[in-house]
Amino acid sequence: MKIGQFVKAHIREIFSHCDTGDHNEIDFLLDPAYSKRTFGVNFPFCAAVEDIEKTESKRYWTDVYLVRGTRVRVTSQWFESSRPLFFQYLKSKNIEPKSKLENYNPTLTSSDSGNKVFTARSNSRYRGNAIGNAQNLFVRNILSRLGNESFSEKDWENTKDYFSRRCAYCNADADLLIEHAIPINKEKLGEHRLGNLVPSCKPCNSKKRGLDFREFLGDDLEAIQKIEAYMDSRNYVPLEDSEQMRMILDMAHKEVASLAARYIRIVNELFPRSSDPDSDDDQCDTTSI
Ligand SMILES: [Zn+2]
């Protein structure tokens, strides 16, 4: 395993060590001099997200961790020469090095459509859509957290009032569900923000599925305009034209596929299903969202 991957595989445990116990290890890890001494790296092990954004530094991985109330990213500037020091550090914190992972190298091939196909062994514990689900969940997770907006039950009540307590799509006077007018996926780029939440009756909710509200409503311009006006009133500007965001999510989607494949492979190797007579599907396509 490359040194960068090796470090990455232990970040969670290092931060969970920082999060527990009566010490200020995180302050040390934020300190460049300590990191130089401890790991032989030229950047602090991690830095606060605000500081990285100020300098626009590219020397940190993009994953954000919350450690003792500080949002941090970990430096990506690792060289082979740091490996023994990093090992030593793990030992000193009672973290078991994941050296076993070195033997695993998942097989990933691209299908024509660009979706990842994972070749699983027939006695796999994980089958079906495990990877596609992980990818979709991750993309949802990113989209759901963008903007960091919070809203309350009261806000939702006001939203229902805005639509006269009727379905925003068919105007039915029925039980209302929370519906994302623009779906939260990497194609449509909807977000979990108040301005993207509209009340919907159950039938509309289940018919609409992955459609954008405009696709779903077709030529019902009145309903479309009402939802657009509602979005404006809640300052919601959809991301749909953001090529950059699309690219980022596409990257995340692909990266999760290889990450999920690696861990599924490990689990399948370590915990094979004993026997399963009808487990003859050794390929599983992932769905794209
Ligand atoms: Zn409806």
Short mmCIF file of all heavy atoms in Angstrom, two decimals, residues 9-23 25-26 29 45-46 65-68 72 74 89-90 93-96 98:
data_model
loop_
_atom_site.label_atom_id
_atom_site.label_comp_id
_atom_site.label_asym_id
_atom_site.label_seq_id
_atom_site.Cartn_x
_atom_site.Cartn_y
_atom_site.Cartn_z
N ALA A 9 -5.70 5.23 5.79
CA ALA A 9 -6.40 4.12 6.42
C ALA A 9 -6.45 4.24 7.94
O ALA A 9 -7.20 3.53 8.60
CB ALA A 9 -5.73 2.80 6.02
N HIS A 10 -5.64 5.15 8.49
CA HIS A 10 -5.60 5.26 9.96
C HIS A 10 -6.12 6.59 10.49
O HIS A 10 -6.11 6.82 11.70
CB HIS A 10 -4.16 5.05 10.45
CG HIS A 10 -3.64 3.69 10.12
ND1 HIS A 10 -3.03 3.42 8.93
CD2 HIS A 10 -3.68 2.53 10.80
CE1 HIS A 10 -2.69 2.14 8.90
NE2 HIS A 10 -3.08 1.57 10.01
N ILE A 11 -6.54 7.47 9.59
CA ILE A 11 -6.93 8.81 10.03
C ILE A 11 -8.06 8.75 11.06
O ILE A 11 -8.01 9.40 12.10
CB ILE A 11 -7.34 9.68 8.83
CG1 ILE A 11 -6.12 9.95 7.95
CG2 ILE A 11 -7.96 10.99 9.29
CD1 ILE A 11 -6.42 10.67 6.66
N ARG A 12 -9.08 7.95 10.74
CA ARG A 12 -10.23 7.89 11.65
C ARG A 12 -9.81 7.50 13.07
O ARG A 12 -10.26 8.09 14.04
CB ARG A 12 -11.28 6.89 11.15
CG ARG A 12 -12.01 7.35 9.95
CD ARG A 12 -13.53 7.36 10.17
NE ARG A 12 -14.16 8.12 9.10
CZ ARG A 12 -14.64 9.35 9.25
NH1 ARG A 12 -14.63 9.93 10.43
NH2 ARG A 12 -15.17 10.00 8.23
N GLU A 13 -8.93 6.49 13.13
CA GLU A 13 -8.53 6.04 14.46
C GLU A 13 -7.67 7.08 15.18
O GLU A 13 -7.78 7.25 16.39
CB GLU A 13 -7.75 4.73 14.36
CG GLU A 13 -8.69 3.54 14.33
CD GLU A 13 -8.04 2.36 13.70
OE1 GLU A 13 -7.82 2.41 12.47
OE2 GLU A 13 -7.71 1.41 14.43
N ILE A 14 -6.84 7.77 14.41
CA ILE A 14 -6.02 8.80 15.03
C ILE A 14 -6.92 9.90 15.60
O ILE A 14 -6.76 10.33 16.74
CB ILE A 14 -5.01 9.38 14.01
CG1 ILE A 14 -3.98 8.32 13.66
CG2 ILE A 14 -4.35 10.64 14.56
CD1 ILE A 14 -3.02 8.70 12.56
N PHE A 15 -7.91 10.29 14.81
CA PHE A 15 -8.80 11.35 15.31
C PHE A 15 -9.71 10.86 16.42
O PHE A 15 -10.08 11.63 17.29
CB PHE A 15 -9.61 11.97 14.15
CG PHE A 15 -8.77 12.87 13.28
CD1 PHE A 15 -9.05 13.02 11.94
CD2 PHE A 15 -7.69 13.56 13.82
CE1 PHE A 15 -8.27 13.85 11.13
CE2 PHE A 15 -6.91 14.38 13.03
CZ PHE A 15 -7.19 14.53 11.68
N SER A 16 -10.05 9.61 16.37
CA SER A 16 -10.89 9.15 17.47
C SER A 16 -10.07 9.08 18.76
O SER A 16 -10.58 9.34 19.84
CB SER A 16 -11.62 7.86 17.10
OG SER A 16 -11.09 6.77 17.76
N HIS A 17 -8.77 8.82 18.61
CA HIS A 17 -7.88 8.92 19.77
C HIS A 17 -7.85 10.37 20.27
O HIS A 17 -7.89 10.63 21.48
CB HIS A 17 -6.47 8.46 19.38
CG HIS A 17 -5.41 8.83 20.38
ND1 HIS A 17 -5.26 8.16 21.57
CD2 HIS A 17 -4.48 9.81 20.38
CE1 HIS A 17 -4.28 8.72 22.25
NE2 HIS A 17 -3.78 9.72 21.55
N CYS A 18 -7.78 11.33 19.34
CA CYS A 18 -7.76 12.76 19.72
C CYS A 18 -9.04 13.17 20.43
O CYS A 18 -9.04 14.05 21.28
CB CYS A 18 -7.61 13.64 18.48
SG CYS A 18 -6.01 13.49 17.69
N ASP A 19 -10.13 12.54 20.03
CA ASP A 19 -11.44 12.91 20.56
C ASP A 19 -11.69 12.39 21.97
O ASP A 19 -12.58 12.85 22.66
CB ASP A 19 -12.55 12.38 19.65
CG ASP A 19 -13.01 13.43 18.65
OD1 ASP A 19 -12.86 14.63 18.98
OD2 ASP A 19 -13.49 13.07 17.58
N THR A 20 -10.91 11.38 22.34
CA THR A 20 -11.17 10.78 23.65
C THR A 20 -9.97 10.99 24.56
O THR A 20 -8.85 11.15 24.08
CB THR A 20 -11.42 9.26 23.51
OG1 THR A 20 -10.37 8.72 22.71
CG2 THR A 20 -12.74 8.97 22.83
N GLY A 21 -10.21 10.97 25.82
CA GLY A 21 -9.10 11.05 26.76
C GLY A 21 -8.74 12.49 27.11
O GLY A 21 -9.14 13.44 26.45
N ASP A 22 -7.95 12.58 28.16
CA ASP A 22 -7.63 13.89 28.72
C ASP A 22 -6.26 14.33 28.19
O ASP A 22 -5.25 14.24 28.88
CB ASP A 22 -7.62 13.75 30.26
CG ASP A 22 -7.39 15.11 30.90
OD1 ASP A 22 -7.62 16.13 30.22
OD2 ASP A 22 -6.98 15.13 32.07
N HIS A 23 -6.21 14.76 26.96
CA HIS A 23 -4.95 15.24 26.38
C HIS A 23 -5.29 16.17 25.22
O HIS A 23 -6.45 16.27 24.81
CB HIS A 23 -4.11 14.06 25.88
CG HIS A 23 -4.86 13.18 24.92
ND1 HIS A 23 -5.15 13.55 23.64
CD2 HIS A 23 -5.43 11.96 25.08
CE1 HIS A 23 -5.83 12.60 23.03
NE2 HIS A 23 -6.03 11.62 23.89
N GLU A 25 -3.87 16.07 22.03
CA GLU A 25 -3.15 15.55 20.87
C GLU A 25 -3.50 16.32 19.59
O GLU A 25 -2.64 16.55 18.76
CB GLU A 25 -3.45 14.06 20.71
CG GLU A 25 -2.71 13.37 19.58
CD GLU A 25 -1.18 13.39 19.73
OE1 GLU A 25 -0.70 13.60 20.85
OE2 GLU A 25 -0.50 13.19 18.71
N ILE A 26 -4.75 16.74 19.47
CA ILE A 26 -5.13 17.43 18.23
C ILE A 26 -4.33 18.73 18.07
O ILE A 26 -3.94 19.08 16.96
CB ILE A 26 -6.67 17.67 18.15
CG1 ILE A 26 -7.06 18.26 16.80
CG2 ILE A 26 -7.18 18.54 19.28
CD1 ILE A 26 -6.73 17.40 15.60
N LEU A 29 -1.10 17.79 16.60
CA LEU A 29 -1.20 17.41 15.18
C LEU A 29 -1.40 18.62 14.26
O LEU A 29 -1.10 18.57 13.07
CB LEU A 29 -2.32 16.40 14.97
CG LEU A 29 -2.09 15.02 15.63
CD1 LEU A 29 -3.30 14.11 15.41
CD2 LEU A 29 -0.83 14.35 15.09
N PHE A 45 0.26 17.65 10.36
CA PHE A 45 -0.52 16.45 10.05
C PHE A 45 -1.90 16.84 9.53
O PHE A 45 -2.39 16.31 8.55
CB PHE A 45 -0.66 15.58 11.31
CG PHE A 45 -1.48 14.34 11.08
CD1 PHE A 45 -0.91 13.22 10.51
CD2 PHE A 45 -2.83 14.30 11.44
CE1 PHE A 45 -1.68 12.07 10.28
CE2 PHE A 45 -3.59 13.16 11.22
CZ PHE A 45 -3.01 12.05 10.65
N CYS A 46 -2.51 17.81 10.21
CA CYS A 46 -3.80 18.32 9.73
C CYS A 46 -3.87 19.82 9.98
O CYS A 46 -3.11 20.36 10.78
CB CYS A 46 -4.96 17.60 10.43
SG CYS A 46 -4.95 17.78 12.22
N TYR A 65 -12.75 16.24 8.64
CA TYR A 65 -13.04 15.53 9.89
C TYR A 65 -13.34 16.55 10.97
O TYR A 65 -12.73 17.63 10.99
CB TYR A 65 -11.83 14.69 10.32
CG TYR A 65 -11.40 13.69 9.29
CD1 TYR A 65 -10.53 14.04 8.27
CD2 TYR A 65 -11.89 12.38 9.31
CE1 TYR A 65 -10.15 13.14 7.30
CE2 TYR A 65 -11.52 11.47 8.35
CZ TYR A 65 -10.64 11.84 7.34
OH TYR A 65 -10.27 10.95 6.39
N LEU A 66 -14.25 16.20 11.84
CA LEU A 66 -14.55 17.08 12.96
C LEU A 66 -13.86 16.50 14.19
O LEU A 66 -14.20 15.41 14.64
CB LEU A 66 -16.07 17.14 13.17
CG LEU A 66 -16.52 18.13 14.22
CD1 LEU A 66 -16.28 19.56 13.76
CD2 LEU A 66 -17.99 17.95 14.53
N VAL A 67 -12.88 17.25 14.70
CA VAL A 67 -12.13 16.76 15.85
C VAL A 67 -12.18 17.80 16.95
O VAL A 67 -11.74 18.93 16.76
CB VAL A 67 -10.66 16.49 15.49
CG1 VAL A 67 -9.97 15.73 16.61
CG2 VAL A 67 -10.55 15.72 14.20
N ARG A 68 -12.74 17.42 18.06
CA ARG A 68 -12.90 18.35 19.20
C ARG A 68 -13.42 19.71 18.75
O ARG A 68 -12.89 20.76 19.11
CB ARG A 68 -11.56 18.52 19.93
CG ARG A 68 -11.09 17.20 20.53
CD ARG A 68 -10.51 17.35 21.91
NE ARG A 68 -10.23 16.04 22.45
CZ ARG A 68 -10.08 15.78 23.73
NH1 ARG A 68 -10.21 16.72 24.61
NH2 ARG A 68 -9.84 14.57 24.15
N VAL A 72 -11.12 19.77 10.30
CA VAL A 72 -9.74 19.70 9.80
C VAL A 72 -9.66 18.82 8.56
O VAL A 72 -10.52 17.99 8.30
CB VAL A 72 -8.79 19.13 10.88
CG1 VAL A 72 -8.76 20.01 12.12
CG2 VAL A 72 -9.15 17.71 11.24
N VAL A 74 -6.46 16.56 6.41
CA VAL A 74 -5.14 15.96 6.68
C VAL A 74 -4.21 16.21 5.49
O VAL A 74 -4.64 16.15 4.34
CB VAL A 74 -5.29 14.44 6.93
CG1 VAL A 74 -3.94 13.76 7.08
CG2 VAL A 74 -6.16 14.20 8.15
N TYR A 89 4.41 6.08 15.42
CA TYR A 89 3.36 6.92 15.99
C TYR A 89 2.12 6.08 16.33
O TYR A 89 1.57 6.18 17.42
CB TYR A 89 2.99 8.05 15.03
CG TYR A 89 1.89 8.94 15.55
CD1 TYR A 89 2.15 9.92 16.50
CD2 TYR A 89 0.57 8.78 15.11
CE1 TYR A 89 1.14 10.72 17.00
CE2 TYR A 89 -0.45 9.57 15.60
CZ TYR A 89 -0.16 10.55 16.55
OH TYR A 89 -1.17 11.33 17.05
N LEU A 90 1.73 5.23 15.38
CA LEU A 90 0.55 4.39 15.62
C LEU A 90 0.76 3.53 16.86
O LEU A 90 -0.12 3.41 17.72
CB LEU A 90 0.28 3.49 14.41
CG LEU A 90 -0.15 4.19 13.11
CD1 LEU A 90 -0.31 3.17 11.99
CD2 LEU A 90 -1.46 4.96 13.30
N LYS A 93 0.30 5.25 20.10
CA LYS A 93 -1.09 5.57 20.43
C LYS A 93 -1.94 4.30 20.53
O LYS A 93 -3.19 4.38 20.50
CB LYS A 93 -1.70 6.49 19.36
CG LYS A 93 -0.95 7.78 19.14
CD LYS A 93 -0.91 8.64 20.39
CE LYS A 93 0.01 9.83 20.19
NZ LYS A 93 0.55 10.35 21.46
N ASN A 94 -1.26 3.17 20.57
CA ASN A 94 -1.99 1.88 20.64
C ASN A 94 -2.95 1.66 19.49
O ASN A 94 -4.04 1.11 19.66
CB ASN A 94 -2.77 1.78 21.95
CG ASN A 94 -1.85 1.42 23.08
OD1 ASN A 94 -0.88 0.68 22.88
ND2 ASN A 94 -2.12 1.98 24.25
N ILE A 95 -2.56 2.13 18.32
CA ILE A 95 -3.40 1.89 17.13
C ILE A 95 -2.74 0.78 16.32
O ILE A 95 -1.55 0.86 16.00
CB ILE A 95 -3.54 3.18 16.28
CG1 ILE A 95 -4.25 4.27 17.09
CG2 ILE A 95 -4.30 2.89 14.99
CD1 ILE A 95 -4.23 5.64 16.46
N GLU A 96 -3.52 -0.24 16.05
CA GLU A 96 -2.98 -1.40 15.32
C GLU A 96 -2.78 -1.04 13.85
O GLU A 96 -3.73 -0.67 13.17
CB GLU A 96 -3.99 -2.54 15.46
CG GLU A 96 -3.52 -3.88 14.95
CD GLU A 96 -2.29 -4.40 15.70
OE1 GLU A 96 -2.17 -4.18 16.92
OE2 GLU A 96 -1.45 -5.01 15.02
N LYS A 98 -2.76 -1.24 10.01
CA LYS A 98 -3.55 -2.10 9.12
C LYS A 98 -2.66 -2.62 7.99
O LYS A 98 -2.92 -2.37 6.83
CB LYS A 98 -4.70 -1.30 8.53
CG LYS A 98 -5.71 -0.83 9.54
CD LYS A 98 -6.84 -0.14 8.80
CE LYS A 98 -7.99 0.30 9.64
NZ LYS A 98 -7.83 0.91 10.88
#
